[in-house]
PDB file of all heavy atoms in Angstrom:
ATOM      1  N   SER A  58     -23.181  -6.667 -37.405  1.00  0.00           N
ATOM      2  CA  SER A  58     -22.530  -7.870 -36.862  1.00  0.00           C
ATOM      3  C   SER A  58     -21.156  -7.438 -36.429  1.00  0.00           C
ATOM      4  O   SER A  58     -20.157  -7.635 -37.072  1.00  0.00           O
ATOM      5  CB  SER A  58     -22.444  -9.030 -37.902  1.00  0.00           C
ATOM      6  OG  SER A  58     -23.707  -9.408 -38.360  1.00  0.00           O
ATOM      7  N   HIS A  59     -21.160  -6.838 -35.175  1.00  0.00           N
ATOM      8  CA  HIS A  59     -19.952  -6.090 -34.751  1.00  0.00           C
ATOM      9  C   HIS A  59     -18.942  -7.019 -34.074  1.00  0.00           C
ATOM     10  O   HIS A  59     -19.252  -8.127 -33.689  1.00  0.00           O
ATOM     11  CB  HIS A  59     -20.352  -4.993 -33.833  1.00  0.00           C
ATOM     12  CG  HIS A  59     -21.061  -5.456 -32.584  1.00  0.00           C
ATOM     13  ND1 HIS A  59     -20.388  -5.936 -31.494  1.00  0.00           N
ATOM     14  CD2 HIS A  59     -22.377  -5.388 -32.200  1.00  0.00           C
ATOM     15  CE1 HIS A  59     -21.226  -6.279 -30.552  1.00  0.00           C
ATOM     16  NE2 HIS A  59     -22.466  -5.869 -30.932  1.00  0.00           N
ATOM     17  N   VAL A  60     -17.703  -6.492 -33.901  1.00  0.00           N
ATOM     18  CA  VAL A  60     -16.566  -7.243 -33.348  1.00  0.00           C
ATOM     19  C   VAL A  60     -16.501  -7.185 -31.806  1.00  0.00           C
ATOM     20  O   VAL A  60     -15.608  -7.703 -31.202  1.00  0.00           O
ATOM     21  CB  VAL A  60     -15.296  -6.831 -33.938  1.00  0.00           C
ATOM     22  CG1 VAL A  60     -15.246  -7.159 -35.433  1.00  0.00           C
ATOM     23  CG2 VAL A  60     -14.958  -5.361 -33.696  1.00  0.00           C
ATOM     24  N   GLY A  61     -17.496  -6.490 -31.221  1.00  0.00           N
ATOM     25  CA  GLY A  61     -17.489  -6.426 -29.739  1.00  0.00           C
ATOM     26  C   GLY A  61     -16.482  -5.516 -29.103  1.00  0.00           C
ATOM     27  O   GLY A  61     -16.049  -5.740 -27.987  1.00  0.00           O
ATOM     28  N   SER A  62     -16.145  -4.448 -29.818  1.00  0.00           N
ATOM     29  CA  SER A  62     -15.121  -3.465 -29.238  1.00  0.00           C
ATOM     30  C   SER A  62     -15.884  -2.848 -28.080  1.00  0.00           C
ATOM     31  O   SER A  62     -17.120  -2.894 -27.915  1.00  0.00           O
ATOM     32  CB  SER A  62     -14.779  -2.444 -30.247  1.00  0.00           C
ATOM     33  OG  SER A  62     -15.861  -1.562 -30.535  1.00  0.00           O
ATOM     34  N   ARG A  63     -15.098  -2.129 -27.219  1.00  0.00           N
ATOM     35  CA  ARG A  63     -15.682  -1.385 -26.121  1.00  0.00           C
ATOM     36  C   ARG A  63     -16.688  -0.334 -26.598  1.00  0.00           C
ATOM     37  O   ARG A  63     -17.676  -0.058 -25.982  1.00  0.00           O
ATOM     38  CB  ARG A  63     -14.586  -0.761 -25.229  1.00  0.00           C
ATOM     39  CG  ARG A  63     -13.716  -1.827 -24.516  1.00  0.00           C
ATOM     40  CD  ARG A  63     -12.649  -1.234 -23.696  1.00  0.00           C
ATOM     41  NE  ARG A  63     -13.226  -0.593 -22.450  1.00  0.00           N
ATOM     42  CZ  ARG A  63     -12.366  -0.145 -21.481  1.00  0.00           C
ATOM     43  NH1 ARG A  63     -11.088  -0.280 -21.594  1.00  0.00           N
ATOM     44  NH2 ARG A  63     -12.903   0.510 -20.488  1.00  0.00           N
ATOM     45  N   HIS A  65     -18.538  -0.603 -29.363  1.00  0.00           N
ATOM     46  CA  HIS A  65     -19.729  -1.332 -29.689  1.00  0.00           C
ATOM     47  C   HIS A  65     -20.620  -1.644 -28.467  1.00  0.00           C
ATOM     48  O   HIS A  65     -21.806  -1.416 -28.471  1.00  0.00           O
ATOM     49  CB  HIS A  65     -19.428  -2.536 -30.476  1.00  0.00           C
ATOM     50  CG  HIS A  65     -18.863  -2.382 -31.833  1.00  0.00           C
ATOM     51  ND1 HIS A  65     -17.651  -2.913 -32.224  1.00  0.00           N
ATOM     52  CD2 HIS A  65     -19.327  -1.769 -32.939  1.00  0.00           C
ATOM     53  CE1 HIS A  65     -17.373  -2.561 -33.486  1.00  0.00           C
ATOM     54  NE2 HIS A  65     -18.382  -1.858 -33.919  1.00  0.00           N
ATOM     55  N   MET A  66     -19.891  -2.139 -27.430  1.00  0.00           N
ATOM     56  CA  MET A  66     -20.631  -2.449 -26.225  1.00  0.00           C
ATOM     57  C   MET A  66     -21.256  -1.242 -25.558  1.00  0.00           C
ATOM     58  O   MET A  66     -22.380  -1.329 -24.999  1.00  0.00           O
ATOM     59  CB  MET A  66     -19.693  -3.284 -25.263  1.00  0.00           C
ATOM     60  CG  MET A  66     -19.398  -4.673 -25.755  1.00  0.00           C
ATOM     61  SD  MET A  66     -18.530  -5.582 -24.468  1.00  0.00           S
ATOM     62  CE  MET A  66     -16.847  -5.026 -24.722  1.00  0.00           C
ATOM     63  N   ASP A  67     -20.578  -0.119 -25.599  1.00  0.00           N
ATOM     64  CA  ASP A  67     -21.085   1.078 -25.053  1.00  0.00           C
ATOM     65  C   ASP A  67     -22.315   1.541 -25.723  1.00  0.00           C
ATOM     66  O   ASP A  67     -23.320   2.030 -25.039  1.00  0.00           O
ATOM     67  CB  ASP A  67     -20.035   2.223 -25.066  1.00  0.00           C
ATOM     68  CG  ASP A  67     -18.929   2.032 -24.107  1.00  0.00           C
ATOM     69  OD1 ASP A  67     -19.138   1.172 -23.144  1.00  0.00           O
ATOM     70  OD2 ASP A  67     -17.861   2.652 -24.202  1.00  0.00           O
ATOM     71  N   ALA A  69     -24.538  -0.302 -27.424  1.00  0.00           N
ATOM     72  CA  ALA A  69     -25.591  -1.322 -27.095  1.00  0.00           C
ATOM     73  C   ALA A  69     -26.115  -1.106 -25.682  1.00  0.00           C
ATOM     74  O   ALA A  69     -27.286  -1.115 -25.409  1.00  0.00           O
ATOM     75  CB  ALA A  69     -25.080  -2.711 -27.251  1.00  0.00           C
ATOM     76  N   ALA A  70     -25.185  -0.834 -24.823  1.00  0.00           N
ATOM     77  CA  ALA A  70     -25.585  -0.551 -23.371  1.00  0.00           C
ATOM     78  C   ALA A  70     -26.463   0.720 -23.297  1.00  0.00           C
ATOM     79  O   ALA A  70     -27.415   0.746 -22.503  1.00  0.00           O
ATOM     80  CB  ALA A  70     -24.383  -0.451 -22.477  1.00  0.00           C
ATOM     81  N   GLY A  80     -28.374  -5.525 -19.515  1.00  0.00           N
ATOM     82  CA  GLY A  80     -27.728  -6.480 -20.391  1.00  0.00           C
ATOM     83  C   GLY A  80     -28.142  -7.925 -20.019  1.00  0.00           C
ATOM     84  O   GLY A  80     -28.138  -8.783 -20.906  1.00  0.00           O
ATOM     85  N   LEU A  83     -30.838  -9.426 -22.416  1.00  0.00           N
ATOM     86  CA  LEU A  83     -30.540  -9.855 -23.717  1.00  0.00           C
ATOM     87  C   LEU A  83     -30.518 -11.382 -23.858  1.00  0.00           C
ATOM     88  O   LEU A  83     -30.071 -12.013 -22.929  1.00  0.00           O
ATOM     89  CB  LEU A  83     -29.093  -9.298 -24.127  1.00  0.00           C
ATOM     90  CG  LEU A  83     -28.885  -7.867 -24.332  1.00  0.00           C
ATOM     91  CD1 LEU A  83     -27.353  -7.570 -24.471  1.00  0.00           C
ATOM     92  CD2 LEU A  83     -29.635  -7.355 -25.461  1.00  0.00           C
ATOM     93  N   CYS A  85     -29.384 -13.035 -26.569  1.00  0.00           N
ATOM     94  CA  CYS A  85     -28.327 -13.513 -27.436  1.00  0.00           C
ATOM     95  C   CYS A  85     -27.265 -14.204 -26.502  1.00  0.00           C
ATOM     96  O   CYS A  85     -27.165 -13.889 -25.321  1.00  0.00           O
ATOM     97  CB  CYS A  85     -27.610 -12.433 -28.281  1.00  0.00           C
ATOM     98  SG  CYS A  85     -27.032 -11.005 -27.311  1.00  0.00           S
ATOM     99  N   PRO A  86     -26.483 -15.142 -26.992  1.00  0.00           N
ATOM    100  CA  PRO A  86     -25.509 -15.826 -26.161  1.00  0.00           C
ATOM    101  C   PRO A  86     -24.390 -14.915 -25.684  1.00  0.00           C
ATOM    102  O   PRO A  86     -24.066 -13.923 -26.353  1.00  0.00           O
ATOM    103  CB  PRO A  86     -24.925 -16.950 -27.026  1.00  0.00           C
ATOM    104  CG  PRO A  86     -25.886 -16.962 -28.226  1.00  0.00           C
ATOM    105  CD  PRO A  86     -26.445 -15.633 -28.391  1.00  0.00           C
ATOM    106  N   PRO A  87     -23.860 -15.186 -24.489  1.00  0.00           N
ATOM    107  CA  PRO A  87     -22.648 -14.398 -24.080  1.00  0.00           C
ATOM    108  C   PRO A  87     -21.515 -14.876 -24.981  1.00  0.00           C
ATOM    109  O   PRO A  87     -21.388 -16.053 -25.418  1.00  0.00           O
ATOM    110  CB  PRO A  87     -22.440 -14.904 -22.607  1.00  0.00           C
ATOM    111  CG  PRO A  87     -23.150 -16.167 -22.510  1.00  0.00           C
ATOM    112  CD  PRO A  87     -24.292 -16.113 -23.496  1.00  0.00           C
ATOM    113  N   GLY A  88     -20.580 -13.973 -25.272  1.00  0.00           N
ATOM    114  CA  GLY A  88     -19.411 -14.312 -26.145  1.00  0.00           C
ATOM    115  C   GLY A  88     -18.263 -13.407 -25.811  1.00  0.00           C
ATOM    116  O   GLY A  88     -18.357 -12.384 -25.198  1.00  0.00           O
ATOM    117  N   TRP A  89     -17.083 -13.906 -26.225  1.00  0.00           N
ATOM    118  CA  TRP A  89     -15.876 -13.081 -26.161  1.00  0.00           C
ATOM    119  C   TRP A  89     -15.870 -12.131 -27.379  1.00  0.00           C
ATOM    120  O   TRP A  89     -16.239 -12.539 -28.474  1.00  0.00           O
ATOM    121  CB  TRP A  89     -14.627 -13.982 -26.156  1.00  0.00           C
ATOM    122  CG  TRP A  89     -14.383 -14.765 -24.968  1.00  0.00           C
ATOM    123  CD1 TRP A  89     -14.529 -16.072 -24.817  1.00  0.00           C
ATOM    124  CD2 TRP A  89     -13.889 -14.224 -23.754  1.00  0.00           C
ATOM    125  NE1 TRP A  89     -14.168 -16.447 -23.506  1.00  0.00           N
ATOM    126  CE2 TRP A  89     -13.784 -15.310 -22.795  1.00  0.00           C
ATOM    127  CE3 TRP A  89     -13.506 -12.990 -23.275  1.00  0.00           C
ATOM    128  CZ2 TRP A  89     -13.326 -15.176 -21.567  1.00  0.00           C
ATOM    129  CZ3 TRP A  89     -13.040 -12.820 -22.016  1.00  0.00           C
ATOM    130  CH2 TRP A  89     -12.985 -13.913 -21.188  1.00  0.00           C
ATOM    131  N   PRO A  90     -15.419 -10.906 -27.181  1.00  0.00           N
ATOM    132  CA  PRO A  90     -15.303 -10.047 -28.331  1.00  0.00           C
ATOM    133  C   PRO A  90     -14.330 -10.565 -29.380  1.00  0.00           C
ATOM    134  O   PRO A  90     -13.282 -11.175 -28.981  1.00  0.00           O
ATOM    135  CB  PRO A  90     -14.823  -8.708 -27.742  1.00  0.00           C
ATOM    136  CG  PRO A  90     -14.971  -8.816 -26.268  1.00  0.00           C
ATOM    137  CD  PRO A  90     -14.955 -10.296 -25.989  1.00  0.00           C
ATOM    138  N   ALA A  91     -14.603 -10.326 -30.636  1.00  0.00           N
ATOM    139  CA  ALA A  91     -13.583 -10.572 -31.673  1.00  0.00           C
ATOM    140  C   ALA A  91     -12.546  -9.536 -31.668  1.00  0.00           C
ATOM    141  O   ALA A  91     -11.414  -9.768 -32.111  1.00  0.00           O
ATOM    142  CB  ALA A  91     -14.310 -10.586 -33.095  1.00  0.00           C
ATOM    143  N   ASP A  92     -12.844  -8.373 -31.079  1.00  0.00           N
ATOM    144  CA  ASP A  92     -11.902  -7.250 -30.912  1.00  0.00           C
ATOM    145  C   ASP A  92     -10.835  -7.654 -29.874  1.00  0.00           C
ATOM    146  O   ASP A  92     -11.273  -7.894 -28.711  1.00  0.00           O
ATOM    147  CB  ASP A  92     -12.625  -6.014 -30.550  1.00  0.00           C
ATOM    148  CG  ASP A  92     -11.661  -4.841 -30.340  1.00  0.00           C
ATOM    149  OD1 ASP A  92     -11.223  -4.256 -31.371  1.00  0.00           O
ATOM    150  OD2 ASP A  92     -11.414  -4.501 -29.172  1.00  0.00           O
ATOM    151  N   ALA A  95     -10.706  -5.314 -26.591  1.00  0.00           N
ATOM    152  CA  ALA A  95     -11.833  -5.546 -25.692  1.00  0.00           C
ATOM    153  C   ALA A  95     -11.772  -6.891 -24.988  1.00  0.00           C
ATOM    154  O   ALA A  95     -12.158  -6.966 -23.823  1.00  0.00           O
ATOM    155  CB  ALA A  95     -13.168  -5.401 -26.465  1.00  0.00           C
ATOM    156  N   ARG A  96     -11.310  -7.899 -25.715  1.00  0.00           N
ATOM    157  CA  ARG A  96     -11.165  -9.182 -25.104  1.00  0.00           C
ATOM    158  C   ARG A  96     -10.174  -9.163 -23.944  1.00  0.00           C
ATOM    159  O   ARG A  96     -10.438  -9.661 -22.835  1.00  0.00           O
ATOM    160  CB  ARG A  96     -10.723 -10.230 -26.181  1.00  0.00           C
ATOM    161  CG  ARG A  96     -10.588 -11.697 -25.641  1.00  0.00           C
ATOM    162  CD  ARG A  96     -10.063 -12.602 -26.705  1.00  0.00           C
ATOM    163  NE  ARG A  96      -9.892 -13.907 -26.272  1.00  0.00           N
ATOM    164  CZ  ARG A  96     -10.808 -14.862 -26.486  1.00  0.00           C
ATOM    165  NH1 ARG A  96     -11.912 -14.603 -27.121  1.00  0.00           N
ATOM    166  NH2 ARG A  96     -10.593 -16.096 -26.049  1.00  0.00           N
ATOM    167  N   TRP A  98      -9.286  -6.588 -22.215  1.00  0.00           N
ATOM    168  CA  TRP A  98      -9.935  -5.793 -21.192  1.00  0.00           C
ATOM    169  C   TRP A  98     -10.833  -6.604 -20.240  1.00  0.00           C
ATOM    170  O   TRP A  98     -10.760  -6.593 -19.020  1.00  0.00           O
ATOM    171  CB  TRP A  98     -10.620  -4.546 -21.781  1.00  0.00           C
ATOM    172  CG  TRP A  98     -11.490  -3.842 -20.761  1.00  0.00           C
ATOM    173  CD1 TRP A  98     -11.067  -3.039 -19.729  1.00  0.00           C
ATOM    174  CD2 TRP A  98     -12.970  -3.762 -20.793  1.00  0.00           C
ATOM    175  NE1 TRP A  98     -12.125  -2.508 -19.111  1.00  0.00           N
ATOM    176  CE2 TRP A  98     -13.262  -2.948 -19.686  1.00  0.00           C
ATOM    177  CE3 TRP A  98     -13.959  -4.319 -21.554  1.00  0.00           C
ATOM    178  CZ2 TRP A  98     -14.646  -2.603 -19.386  1.00  0.00           C
ATOM    179  CZ3 TRP A  98     -15.246  -3.959 -21.355  1.00  0.00           C
ATOM    180  CH2 TRP A  98     -15.602  -3.217 -20.238  1.00  0.00           C
ATOM    181  N   LEU A  99     -11.613  -7.480 -20.834  1.00  0.00           N
ATOM    182  CA  LEU A  99     -12.575  -8.359 -20.110  1.00  0.00           C
ATOM    183  C   LEU A  99     -11.742  -9.356 -19.283  1.00  0.00           C
ATOM    184  O   LEU A  99     -12.149  -9.712 -18.216  1.00  0.00           O
ATOM    185  CB  LEU A  99     -13.540  -9.042 -21.068  1.00  0.00           C
ATOM    186  CG  LEU A  99     -14.646  -8.225 -21.732  1.00  0.00           C
ATOM    187  CD1 LEU A  99     -15.480  -8.986 -22.631  1.00  0.00           C
ATOM    188  CD2 LEU A  99     -15.566  -7.645 -20.580  1.00  0.00           C
ATOM    189  N   ARG A 104     -14.058 -10.680 -16.158  1.00  0.00           N
ATOM    190  CA  ARG A 104     -15.477 -10.585 -16.353  1.00  0.00           C
ATOM    191  C   ARG A 104     -15.996 -11.687 -17.236  1.00  0.00           C
ATOM    192  O   ARG A 104     -17.243 -11.979 -17.253  1.00  0.00           O
ATOM    193  CB  ARG A 104     -15.773  -9.268 -17.029  1.00  0.00           C
ATOM    194  CG  ARG A 104     -15.571  -8.049 -16.042  1.00  0.00           C
ATOM    195  CD  ARG A 104     -15.877  -6.678 -16.740  1.00  0.00           C
ATOM    196  NE  ARG A 104     -17.349  -6.709 -17.069  1.00  0.00           N
ATOM    197  CZ  ARG A 104     -17.900  -5.678 -17.715  1.00  0.00           C
ATOM    198  NH1 ARG A 104     -17.126  -4.654 -18.134  1.00  0.00           N
ATOM    199  NH2 ARG A 104     -19.134  -5.668 -17.989  1.00  0.00           N
ATOM    200  N   GLY A 105     -15.139 -12.341 -18.067  1.00  0.00           N
ATOM    201  CA  GLY A 105     -15.647 -13.448 -18.889  1.00  0.00           C
ATOM    202  C   GLY A 105     -16.465 -12.994 -20.102  1.00  0.00           C
ATOM    203  O   GLY A 105     -16.563 -11.831 -20.325  1.00  0.00           O
ATOM    204  N   PRO A 106     -17.065 -13.931 -20.820  1.00  0.00           N
ATOM    205  CA  PRO A 106     -17.791 -13.646 -21.993  1.00  0.00           C
ATOM    206  C   PRO A 106     -19.054 -12.771 -21.610  1.00  0.00           C
ATOM    207  O   PRO A 106     -19.637 -12.956 -20.543  1.00  0.00           O
ATOM    208  CB  PRO A 106     -18.239 -14.999 -22.518  1.00  0.00           C
ATOM    209  CG  PRO A 106     -17.219 -15.974 -21.916  1.00  0.00           C
ATOM    210  CD  PRO A 106     -16.895 -15.369 -20.613  1.00  0.00           C
ATOM    211  N   GLN A 107     -19.444 -11.875 -22.475  1.00  0.00           N
ATOM    212  CA  GLN A 107     -20.540 -10.983 -22.235  1.00  0.00           C
ATOM    213  C   GLN A 107     -21.566 -11.010 -23.316  1.00  0.00           C
ATOM    214  O   GLN A 107     -21.225 -11.148 -24.537  1.00  0.00           O
ATOM    215  CB  GLN A 107     -20.030  -9.507 -22.104  1.00  0.00           C
ATOM    216  CG  GLN A 107     -18.934  -9.287 -21.073  1.00  0.00           C
ATOM    217  CD  GLN A 107     -19.530  -9.368 -19.640  1.00  0.00           C
ATOM    218  OE1 GLN A 107     -20.524  -8.746 -19.363  1.00  0.00           O
ATOM    219  NE2 GLN A 107     -18.875 -10.226 -18.816  1.00  0.00           N
ATOM    220  N   ARG A 108     -22.830 -10.832 -23.007  1.00  0.00           N
ATOM    221  CA  ARG A 108     -23.903 -10.763 -23.995  1.00  0.00           C
ATOM    222  C   ARG A 108     -23.716  -9.489 -24.839  1.00  0.00           C
ATOM    223  O   ARG A 108     -23.994  -9.532 -26.077  1.00  0.00           O
ATOM    224  CB  ARG A 108     -25.303 -10.810 -23.353  1.00  0.00           C
ATOM    225  CG  ARG A 108     -25.563 -12.186 -22.659  1.00  0.00           C
ATOM    226  CD  ARG A 108     -26.976 -12.246 -22.131  1.00  0.00           C
ATOM    227  NE  ARG A 108     -27.196 -13.343 -21.270  1.00  0.00           N
ATOM    228  CZ  ARG A 108     -27.444 -14.611 -21.695  1.00  0.00           C
ATOM    229  NH1 ARG A 108     -27.562 -14.834 -22.997  1.00  0.00           N
ATOM    230  NH2 ARG A 108     -27.566 -15.601 -20.844  1.00  0.00           N
ATOM    231  N   LEU A 109     -23.349  -8.470 -24.223  1.00  0.00           N
ATOM    232  CA  LEU A 109     -23.095  -7.175 -24.953  1.00  0.00           C
ATOM    233  C   LEU A 109     -22.014  -7.323 -26.001  1.00  0.00           C
ATOM    234  O   LEU A 109     -22.009  -6.558 -27.034  1.00  0.00           O
ATOM    235  CB  LEU A 109     -22.740  -6.053 -24.010  1.00  0.00           C
ATOM    236  CG  LEU A 109     -23.857  -5.386 -23.178  1.00  0.00           C
ATOM    237  CD1 LEU A 109     -23.268  -4.403 -22.203  1.00  0.00           C
ATOM    238  CD2 LEU A 109     -24.935  -4.697 -24.141  1.00  0.00           C
ATOM    239  N   ALA A 110     -21.087  -8.223 -25.782  1.00  0.00           N
ATOM    240  CA  ALA A 110     -19.950  -8.447 -26.718  1.00  0.00           C
ATOM    241  C   ALA A 110     -20.378  -9.329 -27.870  1.00  0.00           C
ATOM    242  O   ALA A 110     -19.619  -9.376 -28.863  1.00  0.00           O
ATOM    243  CB  ALA A 110     -18.802  -9.041 -25.980  1.00  0.00           C
ATOM    244  N   PHE A 111     -21.460 -10.025 -27.789  1.00  0.00           N
ATOM    245  CA  PHE A 111     -21.932 -10.918 -28.897  1.00  0.00           C
ATOM    246  C   PHE A 111     -22.184 -10.063 -30.130  1.00  0.00           C
ATOM    247  O   PHE A 111     -22.808  -8.946 -29.980  1.00  0.00           O
ATOM    248  CB  PHE A 111     -23.120 -11.717 -28.471  1.00  0.00           C
ATOM    249  CG  PHE A 111     -23.439 -12.765 -29.416  1.00  0.00           C
ATOM    250  CD1 PHE A 111     -22.764 -14.020 -29.362  1.00  0.00           C
ATOM    251  CD2 PHE A 111     -24.462 -12.714 -30.292  1.00  0.00           C
ATOM    252  CE1 PHE A 111     -23.058 -15.021 -30.237  1.00  0.00           C
ATOM    253  CE2 PHE A 111     -24.759 -13.742 -31.175  1.00  0.00           C
ATOM    254  CZ  PHE A 111     -24.076 -14.956 -31.128  1.00  0.00           C
ATOM    255  N   ASN A 112     -21.919 -10.485 -31.296  1.00  0.00           N
ATOM    256  CA  ASN A 112     -21.997  -9.672 -32.433  1.00  0.00           C
ATOM    257  C   ASN A 112     -23.404  -9.216 -32.822  1.00  0.00           C
ATOM    258  O   ASN A 112     -23.581  -8.240 -33.594  1.00  0.00           O
ATOM    259  CB  ASN A 112     -21.400 -10.414 -33.749  1.00  0.00           C
ATOM    260  CG  ASN A 112     -22.247 -11.530 -34.251  1.00  0.00           C
ATOM    261  OD1 ASN A 112     -23.098 -11.190 -35.146  1.00  0.00           O
ATOM    262  ND2 ASN A 112     -22.100 -12.682 -33.748  1.00  0.00           N
ATOM    263  N   CYS A 113     -24.457  -9.820 -32.213  1.00  0.00           N
ATOM    264  CA  CYS A 113     -25.796  -9.433 -32.485  1.00  0.00           C
ATOM    265  C   CYS A 113     -26.410  -8.581 -31.407  1.00  0.00           C
ATOM    266  O   CYS A 113     -27.598  -8.386 -31.386  1.00  0.00           O
ATOM    267  CB  CYS A 113     -26.675 -10.677 -32.713  1.00  0.00           C
ATOM    268  SG  CYS A 113     -26.117 -11.696 -34.074  1.00  0.00           S
ATOM    269  N   SER A 114     -25.633  -8.100 -30.397  1.00  0.00           N
ATOM    270  CA  SER A 114     -26.221  -7.391 -29.275  1.00  0.00           C
ATOM    271  C   SER A 114     -26.986  -6.154 -29.677  1.00  0.00           C
ATOM    272  O   SER A 114     -27.911  -5.740 -28.985  1.00  0.00           O
ATOM    273  CB  SER A 114     -25.114  -7.088 -28.245  1.00  0.00           C
ATOM    274  OG  SER A 114     -24.207  -6.147 -28.692  1.00  0.00           O
ATOM    275  N   GLY A 115     -26.523  -5.470 -30.692  1.00  0.00           N
ATOM    276  CA  GLY A 115     -27.230  -4.286 -31.103  1.00  0.00           C
ATOM    277  C   GLY A 115     -28.661  -4.602 -31.644  1.00  0.00           C
ATOM    278  O   GLY A 115     -29.608  -3.861 -31.269  1.00  0.00           O
ATOM    279  N   GLN A 212     -19.636  -3.305 -38.376  1.00  0.00           N
ATOM    280  CA  GLN A 212     -18.673  -4.472 -38.153  1.00  0.00           C
ATOM    281  C   GLN A 212     -17.498  -4.023 -37.254  1.00  0.00           C
ATOM    282  O   GLN A 212     -17.478  -4.407 -36.139  1.00  0.00           O
ATOM    283  CB  GLN A 212     -18.260  -5.051 -39.520  1.00  0.00           C
ATOM    284  CG  GLN A 212     -17.537  -6.442 -39.304  1.00  0.00           C
ATOM    285  CD  GLN A 212     -17.167  -7.102 -40.585  1.00  0.00           C
ATOM    286  OE1 GLN A 212     -17.236  -6.504 -41.649  1.00  0.00           O
ATOM    287  NE2 GLN A 212     -16.808  -8.343 -40.530  1.00  0.00           N
TER     288      GLN A 212
END
Side-chain angles (χ1 to χ4, degrees):
S58 298
H59 62 77
V60 297
S62 71
R63 294 179 71 172
H65 290 123
M66 288 190 276
D67 284 346
L83 293 170
C85 55
W89 287 107
D92 178 78
R96 182 186 180 96
W98 170 67
L99 287 176
R104 295 181 60 184
Q107 302 289 310
R108 295 184 191 276
L109 281 174
F111 192 78
N112 77 88
C113 302
S114 66
Q212 193 174 12

